[in-house]
């Protein structure tokens, strides 16, 4: 697909991630060389996910290392990193950041006529987390840096419009 | 002291905005969903309500609808919606239901404060 009604998926994702990270945690985003999704972040990771439903269906997944997720949470809550101990706080911060980016993408894609709804954010933690594509969905993978931290963004998307 | 009710299921968002608003001489009330917000609004009669759209239990649209449908002074409290989804349909609905303003996520907390100040005078703490 690469484009949604003429809008570049890559440009949309990079712009949405850049704006959200700049506004919420003051971190610059840059693209990195492609790597293996399994080794880019490390085996242990935290994944924020928001689903799209409607004429555009799919999933947005943001992969973080646990220390980076903790750092983001500290920045968003105005706390010291060492004081962020609760999983609940980290889940909430990463969920909100993922939700903001998904909302931006939804707005960008809705404009060319792909109305869709968003699920509430969910968080997955674990080692060797792999996201499988839903049937018929195309997978887009973006290897980014947020400051000095690796950030993997996956977008699974399919259109039901004819 | 102005009283502001902040309604968002995200503790992170509530913390960010509450911290910015506390720099002004105002009292912050917090609710994680629309149902709790309706109760708190009726009990406390805040001067302003910041209301997230997407929440569990009761979303912001239904909460706004119920706030504006009450027979009490609650219906006159100015409401600013916070949304991660600024579709023209949603903005039209929010406006039709009586929200005074809306903000699209992501936003800096200072921007939220500036928008609140445009409707509700706030005095910065010295």
């Amino acid at each position: 697909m690469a484009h949604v009604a003429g809008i570049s998926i890559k440009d949309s994702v990079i712009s949405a991630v850049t704006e959200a990270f700049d506004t919420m945690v003051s971190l610059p985003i840059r693209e990195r060389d492609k790597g293996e999704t399994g080794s880019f972040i490390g085996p242990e990771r935290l994944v924020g996910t928001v689903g799209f439903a409607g004429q555009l269906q799919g999933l947005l997944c943001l992969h973080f290392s646990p220390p980076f997720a903790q750092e983001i949470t500290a920045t968003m809550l105005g706390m010291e990193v060492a004081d962020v101990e609760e999983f609940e706080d980290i889940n909430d911060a990463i969920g909100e950041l993922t939700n903001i980016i998904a909302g931006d993408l939804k707005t960008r894609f809705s404009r060319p006529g792909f109305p869709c709804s968003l699920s509430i954010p969910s968080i997955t933690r674990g080692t060797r987390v792999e996201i499988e594509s839903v049937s018929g969905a195309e997978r887009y993978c973006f290897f980014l840096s947020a400051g000095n931290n690796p950030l993997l963004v996956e977008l699974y998307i399919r259109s039901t419009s004819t | 002291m102005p009283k502001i009710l902040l309604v968002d299921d995200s503790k992170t968002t509530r913390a960010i905005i509450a911290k910015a608003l506390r720099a002004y001489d105002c009292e912050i009330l917090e609710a994680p969903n629309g149902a709790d917000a309706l109760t708190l609004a009726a009990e406390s009669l805040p001067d302003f309500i910041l209301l997230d759209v997407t929440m569990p239990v009761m979303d912001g649209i239904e909460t706004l609808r119920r706030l504006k449908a009450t027979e009490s002074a609650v219906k006159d409290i100015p409401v600013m919606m916070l949304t991660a989804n600024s579709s023209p349909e949603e903005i039209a609905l929010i406006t039709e239901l009586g929200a005074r303003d809306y903000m699209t996520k992501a936003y800096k907390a200072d921007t939220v404060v500036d928008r609140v100040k445009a409707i509700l005078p706030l005095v910065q703490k010295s």
Side-chain angles (χ1 to χ4, degrees), chain A residues 83-149:
Chain A
D83 294 334
V84 178
E85 295 175 338
E86 300 291 333
F87 277 1
E88 184 187 338
D89 288 346
I90 297 173
N91 292 351
D92 191 87
I94 297 302
E96 185 65 357
L97 192 57
T98 309
N99 186 47
I100 287 167
I101 294 167
D104 190 342
L105 286 176
K106 174 183 182 293
T107 302
R108 290 170 193 265
F109 294 150
S110 291
R111 283 181 189 143
F114 287 85
C116 56
S117 303
L118 298 180
S119 72
I120 58 170
S122 63
I123 301 294
T124 305
R125 288 171 181 274
T127 53
R128 304 192 181 285
V129 175
E130 289 183 16
I131 311 290
E132 292 289 332
S133 168
V134 292
S135 176
E138 291 187 44
R139 174 176 179 263
Y140 299 87
C141 200
F142 303 96
F143 296 86
L144 308 173
S145 284
N148 294 321
N149 301 281

Side-chain angles (χ1 to χ4, degrees), chain A residues 5-120:
Chain A
I7 292 184
S8 162
I9 289 173
K10 179 183 176 184
D11 290 350
S12 298
V13 170
I14 302 289
S15 293
V17 172
T18 300
E19 286 175 23
F21 272 74
D22 177 42
T23 304
M24 304 306 294
V25 288
S26 301
L27 284 176
I29 294 293
R30 65 181 173 87
E31 287 187 71
R32 291 180 37 163
D33 293 336
K34 283 188 178 179
E36 292 296 324
T37 54
S39 60
F40 185 66
I41 302 288
E44 195 179 349
R45 66 180 64 186
L46 186 146
V47 185
T49 304
V50 169
F52 295 83
Q55 286 195 15
L56 214 54
Q57 299 176 343
L59 279 177
L60 173 71
C61 308
L62 270 66
H63 299 241
F64 303 84
S65 68
F68 184 35
Q70 191 176 10
E71 185 183 321
I72 286 174
T73 304
T75 303
M76 290 177 79
L77 291 175
M79 300 166 67
E80 295 296 324
V81 174
D83 294 334
V84 178
E85 295 175 338
E86 300 291 333
F87 277 1
E88 184 187 338
D89 288 346
I90 297 173
N91 292 351
D92 191 87
I94 297 302
E96 185 65 357
L97 192 57
T98 309
N99 186 47
I100 287 167
I101 294 167
D104 190 342
L105 286 176
K106 174 183 182 293
T107 302
R108 290 170 193 265
F109 294 150
S110 291
R111 283 181 189 143
F114 287 85
C116 56
S117 303
L118 298 180
S119 72
I120 58 170

